[in-house]
Amino acid sequence: MDLARHMIGRGDKVHRDWINSKGFKFSELLALQFKSFGGEGYRALAEVLEKETKVED
Amino acid sequence: MSDYSVIGKRVRRVDGTEKVTGNAEYTFDLVLPNMLYGKILRSPHPHAKIINIDTTPAEKMIGVKAVVTGKDTFGRKNGVWRRFSELCDEEMICRTKVRYVGDGVAAVAAIDEDTAEEACQLIKVEYEELPATFDPLEAIKEDAPQIHEGVELNINVTRHIEWGDVDEAFKHCDHIREDQFKTSSQHHVCMETHNAVASFDYNGKLTVWTSTQASYYMQRLLADMLDLRESDIRVIKPHTGGGFGSKFELDSAQFCASLLSMKLCRPVKIVFTRAEEFTATKRRTPMYYFVKLGAKKDGTFLAKEVRVLTEGGAYTGMGATALYLTGFFSSFPYKYPNYRYDGYRVYTNTAPTSACRGFGAPQSTFVGESQIDMLADDLGIDPIEIRRKNGMTPDYEVPGQAHILSCELHQCLDKTEEQIKQRGKLPPNHGIGIACYGFMSGGIFNWFDTPYAFSSAIVRINIDGKVDLFTGACEIGQGSDTTLSMICAEELGVRLEDIRIYSGDTGICPPDLGAWGSRETLMNGNAVRMAAADAKRQLMAVAAGKLGANIVYDLDMKDRWFHLVNRPERGFSYYDIVKQAIRGNDGEAIIGRGHYTPHRKGMISPAYSFGVQAVEVEVDPETGRYKLLNVSTAHGSGKVINPVGIEGQLEGAIMMAGGYGLCEDQPMDKGKILNPSFDDYKLIRSLDMPETKILKIESYEPEGPFGAKEAGEGLTNPTAGAIGNAIYKAVGVRINDLPITPEKVFRALREKEKQGK
């Protein structure tokens, strides 16, 4: 979750491109995040990040 | 009995006589030989491409000496967040595109203001108008026009703060509230408008006299923008008529006057009109707040989640800081075990928003304190009790964010409760609302990317005992020259009249980050104290030798008398020691140096003020009109350096924050501000001012000079929230969007009647 927050929060080109390459649309993740309580945007990205880490392990 | 001979005394301002006699000179008053006058042509469109600019007719006009446009600039973008280049996004004179009504497109230097103004009207600018977006809720939509290239959904900056397990904590709450709020804009309304006199000479040196909160920032930013070396620029801050957050970014008066002067090698003066001041400088950030607050039924807060969308306007400025601070101060001054904040700053085609006294905290305090009262009402708990139950205490760690050392919140609550009780039973339609608050004593994060210490000072003791204090701190009306002189006098052991302060001149003063974020007393105060101690140590060595006392005895100086601490009658005059010290120093004056940069103090600030304000209102239920009757404030600012200074800050803050709560706003039509004059911009005036009272709070901040911390911006934070709570107490209606105008109260009262409540 911390990494997801960092990536969405930083929002620079490198992070945006990486997020988009995983099948997300950066702007949609942002929108998801600010439309409702509960940190849904972060959660969606965090799930992918967790899987990515396991693959690398 | 105080141990101090200067600190804590009621003293008159060191610049007071000059000011009240009308002798103080401001940049506005400055006239240099051979000086020209500049004016800036501004965009009438909120969003447009610049297709062509024809300056020929203006250049041909008699009396016009130079015209500059974007092509004369170095193509650089200005921004005070220098550490992050993507946030430096403002062209001081636009080259290809304008982004708000008021963006500069050209500047003229002429023999007088009228000629310059007339020449501006002769400049022909061909625009291609673009679709524009004005509200952050609209600007984040996929189909909204993009204001800056490559910025998706117009989201300029995001900020996220989180600790604990918020989602899990909400499951354990007995009561949860979800509320929405909207806060409004506010202008700084400095008495002195933005201005500058710039003089570039044939030696390649640029001197700029300007009304600023941060001379060093101006020096550095002008160097960046004009491709000059920092040391080839001298920024001098004469007396300054207010800043309130609006004067520590580079503005178009400073930039355009400098650019024109560089072109002509003649001094150029630019003074903003009041209309320009309202439309072409930055302003307080309007914010949409979505807040979820959960508690146990006894009122213990378990979790808070905050989402904020801010109206950024066309450029970043200090908006990134306001976005962070509104998130941080949304948790203030309470102990939330679980907290999440998501903040989004959104570009819009409106005048840029940035720092304004309180820096994001007046918004969060209005929202937070309103919602706490609503929650207390739901749970049937007294508003003071719920705050007492959850309030911060000394030595409290805000997880991952801040370490609170001194905290007077509970002392302030006790005093306020006492004060409210003294008011007795209130007449009908009267109500007292309270709000708790806190604020930082200077910021820590080095977004400006300065290599210098945050504050520094030099003390020079001359042969006659007179002390010259050099500091980059900026006196802007808040009283820092007086406060710092008092700190210097106390530490040295001389009298206040022995100190002569030189401040805010980069040519002779060491760098300081300036007067913003309530930083000067603590940060520059520490630097001054260190410099004074350094000078005193040099004198003490001479005095100790002359006394010939056993080295186990302690030596000190008080009121110009060097003496043994245990035998104060044994000593020497300060004047004698100074003379001997200078003779013994090969004739050199005694110099002391000091500096301060916070280390290991968390992410936000080295120290925080805490306070509680109670506002009594009287509401007319027929018209919705209400009066502020009484405002009492318990403010913990550590050791008070000058009580008169705090009183001045408080009176001013109530006027400014009362206006924020009651009437100040900047309505727009398609991005054009509709009230850019004192006729139409509603301020609280002297006759509207309530009775005010300061409830005395004793405290000591270990990080501050002589135990002092902030007493400036924090005082602006509570008033709007306390007004909202007082109106609810008086007539039972709650207004969630600022300002709380009588019209909104009237409509809410009629709605309440309709619903038969």
Side-chain angles (χ1 to χ4, degrees), chain B residues 329-552:
Chain B
F329 285 111
S330 281
S331 74
F332 239 65
Y334 303 105
K335 295 176 175 179
Y336 291 102
N338 305 283
Y339 179 77
R340 179 190 292 141
Y341 166 74
D342 290 301
Y344 304 86
R345 185 175 194 274
V346 183
Y347 283 128
T348 49
N349 292 116
T350 55
T353 62
S354 191
C356 184
R357 192 176 182 183
F359 226 159
Q363 293 94 321
S364 61
T365 309
F366 165 69
V367 169
E369 293 300 300
S370 297
Q371 197 184 38
I372 285 171
D373 257 33
M374 290 148 93
L375 186 96
D377 201 43
D378 294 345
L379 296 172
I381 300 174
D382 178 76
I384 290 188
E385 215 38 62
I386 199 166
R387 288 169 168 87
R388 201 174 264 139
K389 187 179 270 292
N390 295 287
M392 284 179 180
T393 47
D395 273 325
Y396 175 67
E397 190 86 33
V398 184
Q401 300 290 314
H403 187 192
I404 310 292
L405 294 173
S406 62
C407 170
E408 309 84 354
L409 185 65
H410 289 261
Q411 202 185 337
C412 294
L413 279 164
D414 294 346
K415 287 263 185 181
T416 303
E417 189 174 38
E418 228 172 80
Q419 166 72 11
I420 292 173
K421 280 181 183 159
Q422 279 172 16
R423 302 291 294 177
K425 189 171 163 25
L426 300 178
N429 303 318
H430 282 233
I432 296 178
I434 64 158
C436 295
Y437 65 96
F439 200 65
M440 59 188 192
S441 306
I444 288 178
F445 183 46
N446 186 12
W447 36 262
F448 192 77
D449 207 17
T450 180
Y452 294 116
F454 279 19
S455 283
S456 38
I458 296 172
V459 161
R460 181 176 67 197
I461 303 177
N462 300 302
I463 195 75
D464 60 355
K466 192 85 182 180
V467 180
D468 292 325
L469 168 61
F470 299 90
T471 163
C474 287
E475 166 67 66
I476 54 170
Q478 88 281 36
S480 64
D481 274 2
T482 307
T483 302
L484 297 172
S485 298
M486 290 174 79
I487 289 171
C488 185
E490 184 68 52
E491 183 63 35
L492 267 176
V494 298
R495 294 182 186 173
L496 183 58
E497 59 264 33
D498 293 324
I499 311 293
R500 189 193 294 116
I501 187 165
Y502 300 85
S503 62
D505 178 344
T506 63
I508 56 170
C509 303
D512 177 271
L513 301 190
W516 57 270
S518 282
R519 60 183 299 287
E520 296 290 35
T521 296
L522 188 139
M523 293 200 181
N524 205 278
N526 275 329
V528 167
R529 190 175 183 189
M530 187 194 223
D534 183 19
K536 186 177 180 178
R537 201 162 34 243
Q538 296 170 54
L539 295 178
M540 295 270 251
V542 176
K546 194 168 156 69
L547 265 166
N550 190 315
I551 59 162
V552 299

